[in-house]
Amino acid sequence: MGADLHAHSTASDGVLSPAELVRAAAAVGLTALALTDHDSTAGVAEAAAAAAQAGLRLVPGVELSTDAIGREVHILGYFCAGRAPLEELLAEMRAARRRRLEQMVERLRAAGLPVALERVLALAGAGAPGRAHVARALVEAGCAASVEEAFDRYLLPGRPGYVPRRKLHPGEAVRAVIAAGGVAVLAHPGLVGDDGVLPELLAAGLGGIEVHYPAHTAAQVAHYARLAEELGLIATGGSDFHGRGERWGDLGSVTVPAAVVDRLEEAAARAR
Ligand code: MN
Ligand code: MN
Ligand code: MN
């Protein structure tokens, strides 16, 4: 059935644990699966152990959220999990996220709103705490009727609880993946909607582009397949599975041949 090179577990916003995800991948007949949690490699060890049991090839990965001018750009990093330059970057991003959360709560409290950091962290559970959890805490405290209203009144730019995010630039993410001995791939370029980001990524050493993706139209697949060919990039693909019935694709609904995994691994080896 091939390789699904884009999937999330409970290490970010997926529904299945890393081991459950791997078993589900084997059950639908995948021969390879990439675990690509948002800004975290915490699930890779568990997934690798489960994959060894299930006889499935696990591709260690991560999906980095970055900000280009006015757009969110996601960079997939393969074969770089657990290597220092990447893990240092992830740790720095986690620390920045935590500082931002503390500052948001401080500002809201200074404005007289009864929101507690402990409650925000509890609402986030094992996931990465963020603005949405602050909003939920504000709703709980009776400061807003809905999460949307909490954002509108307190958490958007210009509002009392707003604190800007530490931004990671796309080129910085690509360079961190390569410095960690991995290969960097532009995720769902059709969702970015603007190929203007490509020159910077290519200059930083981009190795691939996610051609096959649930939300890509046939025209977009053809366009990005041609770009990959022209630019010498590896054409990858995956379902962006988050859980059955969740939005994005079902596990194994988008696959690429196993040879693509070999090409990624070779590209990563050349970077070392
Ligand atoms: Mn997600
Ligand atoms: Mn994404
Ligand atoms: Mn994703």
Side-chain angles (χ1 to χ4, degrees):
M1 186 178 177
D4 184 337
L5 297 178
H6 191 155
H8 296 268
S9 76
T10 47
S12 61
D13 57 351
V15 169
L16 302 182
S17 73
E20 289 167 344
L21 177 67
V22 165
R23 287 194 287 270
V28 298
L30 287 167
T31 53
L33 173 78
L35 180 67
T36 56
D37 277 305
H38 297 290
D39 305 316
S40 173
T41 58
V44 168
E46 183 186 316
Q53 290 261 315
L56 181 122
R57 186 173 181 189
L58 184 88
V59 178
V62 68
E63 181 175 22
L64 301 169
S65 298
T66 77
D67 293 277
I69 315 122
R71 292 184 189 279
E72 193 165 319
V73 173
H74 290 179
I75 302 295
L76 295 161
Y78 296 112
F79 296 108
C80 52
R83 291 167 175 266
L86 176 80
E87 298 300 337
E88 279 164 17
L89 176 69
L90 293 177
E92 188 208 316
M93 298 301 291
R94 269 194 301 277
R97 199 182 297 134
R98 176 60 186 249
R99 273 197 308 278
R100 180 186 186 223
L101 201 74
E102 289 169 1
Q103 286 169 358
M104 282 193 280
V105 169
E106 268 168 40
R107 288 186 192 193
L108 290 166
R109 293 181 69 87
L113 295 151
V115 52
L117 182 63
E118 296 67 40
R119 189 58 198 146
V120 174
L121 294 174
L123 286 169
R131 218 160 29 144
H133 303 107
V134 178
R136 283 176 57 195
L138 283 164
V139 172
E140 265 189 9
C143 303
S146 66
V147 163
E148 196 184 5
E149 190 192 323
F151 267 85
D152 284 346
R153 290 176 64 175
Y154 306 114
L155 298 173
L156 293 182
R159 302 299 181 196
Y162 178 72
V163 178
R165 209 148 55 89
R166 159 25 170 130
K167 288 192 172 165
L168 178 64
H169 295 286
E172 193 182 353
V174 169
R175 282 189 295 273
V177 166
I178 293 168
V183 54
V185 172
L186 174 60
H188 41 65
L191 299 192
V192 180
D194 178 1
D195 295 345
V197 69
L198 273 169
E200 183 196 347
L201 298 180
L202 291 166
L206 188 73
I209 188 162
E210 193 174 48
V211 171
H212 305 280
Y213 187 78
H216 281 176
T217 64
Q220 284 173 326
V221 170
H223 171 69
Y224 290 111
R226 194 168 56 239
L227 264 186
E229 180 84 43
E230 282 170 15
L231 299 170
L233 296 170
I234 301 169
T236 73
S239 64
D240 208 359
F241 180 71
H242 281 66
R244 209 161 302 290
E246 301 285 312
R247 58 193 193 103
W248 305 282
D250 250 332
L251 192 58
S253 61
V254 175
T255 58
V256 291
V260 174
V261 182
D262 296 331
R263 285 190 68 196
L264 289 170
E265 198 162 18
E266 284 158 20
R270 276 197 302 277
R272 287 176 197 162

